[in-house]
Amino acid sequence: MNTSLIDRFADAFGTAQQWLFEQLLQPAMFALGLGNLLEDAYDATGWLLVGLIQIAIMATVLRGLERWRPVEPLTDRAAVRVDILYTLVHRLGLFRVALFLTLTPLWDDAIGWLRLQGLATFHLDALWPGVTDVAWVSFLMYLLVFDFVEYLLHRAQHRFGWWWQLHAVHHSQRQMTLWSDNRNHLLDDVIHDSVLVIVGLLVGIAPGQFVAIVAITQLLESLSHTNVRMAFGRFGDRLLVSPRFHRLHHRIGVGHESDGPGTLGGHNFAVLFPVWDLLFRTARFDGRDEPTGIRDQLPEHGGRDYGRGFWSQQWLGLKRLASRG
C-alpha cells in the first residue's frame, strides 16, 4: 500500500473539507444561531464531501459500466428516479443529520451507561501492539469486523418476518441500477445504522477510519447493484461480491426464499466479502441474469403493490409491518 499516496489524498480531502466548511456550513450555522454545533457541523462536512465524491464516481464510472454491458434495458425511468432520491438523501448526509439530531444522544448515553457499569474501553487495534496498530492492518481488521456484522444484519433482515416487511422495500425494485443500494425503508436504515454505530463505539474504531469504511462499503455496494453483466471469475467472485453474485440475491424466488414460494431466507447475503456466505453455506454461484423483484409482485402471484414513490414505499412498508404480511 502506497502510504505517501494515502497521505496526499488525506491532505487533499482535509483541505477540501476545511474549505467547504468555512465557505458554506460555518456561515450558515452562525446565521441560524447554531454556533454551539460547529464541531459536529465540521464532521458532517466530511460526510457531505465523501457523498459528493461517491456520487461523482457513480455518475461517471458506474454509469459507464451500465452503458457498456447492461443486463437489461432501462425501461422504468420513474422507478430509477426514486432510487436517485434515496441516494441523494443518504449519500449527502441528510439521513445522517437526522440521526444526529434524534438518536446520537441516545447512543452516547447508552455507551456511557455501559462504561459506568464497568465495561472497559476496548480498541481492536490494540490487540497486538506493533502489528494490529499498523494503519493498514487495523483498517483491514475493522473492515472485516463491520462486514461480518453487515452479513449478520442482512441475514436477520431476511429471517424475521417483521424486519422483512421493511427490507422488502429494497427488494421490490424491478429495475436494478447503480442507484438501488440506498432504496430502503427509513426505519430499516435506523435499525441498521444504529447497530453499526454501537459496534463502532464498542470496538473503539477511530472516527476517520469509520468514515472510510462506510464510504468504501457504500461505493462497492453501489457497484454490486449496477445493471451490468459483470462477474470477477470463479476465484474473484469468492473474494469480492460482484454484480452477478449480488444480482442472484435480488432474483425473484431463489434470491430471498430458502424453502420455496412464500418462505424467508435466501442466498448471497454478503456485502463485500463472500467468505461469510461460504462459511455459513448461503452462497450460490449459479448466477444468471434473470429478473429481479419479489414473487408476490408478479400478477400471477397477487400483484402486490410496494409503492411507486418515496413516501408511498415508506407508508406501505409501515402497513406491512403493522399487519406482519
Side-chain angles (χ1 to χ4, degrees), residues 43-154:
D43 293 337
T45 308
W47 286 109
L48 173 61
L49 184 56
V50 165
L52 291 172
I53 294 172
Q54 287 179 327
I55 290 172
I57 294 173
M58 292 164 67
T60 54
V61 178
L62 300 191
R63 187 68 187 101
L65 288 175
E66 290 190 331
R67 292 193 181 98
W68 172 52
R69 294 185 65 195
V71 173
E72 57 187 356
L74 188 60
T75 57
D76 193 347
R77 295 184 181 275
V80 175
R81 284 195 293 270
V82 175
D83 285 0
I84 294 175
L85 175 59
Y86 278 104
T87 302
L88 295 177
V89 166
H90 284 79
R91 302 295 172 94
L92 296 183
L94 300 179
F95 180 73
R96 200 165 296 276
V97 167
L99 289 185
F100 166 76
L101 294 174
T102 56
L103 294 181
T104 298
L106 297 178
W107 295 331
D108 291 338
D109 290 345
I111 295 299
W113 181 84
L114 289 173
R115 299 291 186 233
L116 289 175
Q117 302 307 308
L119 180 67
T121 300
F122 175 74
H123 293 279
L124 185 63
D125 55 5
L127 286 176
W128 188 355
V131 178
T132 57
D133 53 2
V134 175
W136 69 268
V137 175
S138 65
F139 180 81
L140 289 178
M141 288 174 59
Y142 283 121
L143 188 64
L144 284 170
V145 166
F146 279 96
D147 193 55
F148 180 55
V149 172
E150 290 268 22
Y151 173 82
L152 295 178
L153 285 172
H154 203 175

